[in-house]
Amino acid sequence: MAHWAVEIPTRTPGEQPRTGVQWFTYPASRFPGRSDVVERAREDVDTADAVRHRSGAVADVNAIRVIWHDDLM
């Protein structure tokens, strides 16, 4: 199934910028356009589960990278 992978750089307070990344994936069937994916990722990155998953590191939503995966073989 085709999907979008979204990479959001993170940094731990007090450390150098971009010390990690957090990934989100979205099915292309629900999110047909790149802008839809970016909007959703900006919402999802602030959820309690996302913050807990990255152990409180700060997400840099201005550096979002979106990658298209077409899983056809």
Side-chain angles (χ1 to χ4, degrees):
M1 178 168 87
H3 67 278
W4 300 95
V6 179
E7 176 190 63
I8 303 176
T10 62
R11 70 174 178 79
T12 302
E15 293 184 12
Q16 298 257 338
R18 297 186 180 183
T19 56
V21 295
Q22 187 167 22
W23 289 93
F24 295 87
T25 58
Y26 302 95
S29 59
R30 281 194 61 207
F31 299 91
R34 184 185 185 281
S35 61
D36 300 320
V37 172
V38 170
E39 182 179 332
R40 181 58 183 259
R42 286 177 183 264
E43 293 171 11
D44 289 347
V45 77
D46 289 331
T47 64
D49 285 340
V51 173
R52 185 173 49 254
H53 179 75
R54 64 178 182 266
S55 302
V58 178
D60 183 358
V61 294
N62 295 317
I64 290 175
R65 188 171 84 135
V66 180
I67 304 160
W68 171 257
H69 289 275
D70 189 351
D71 296 340
L72 298 176
M73 297 181 129

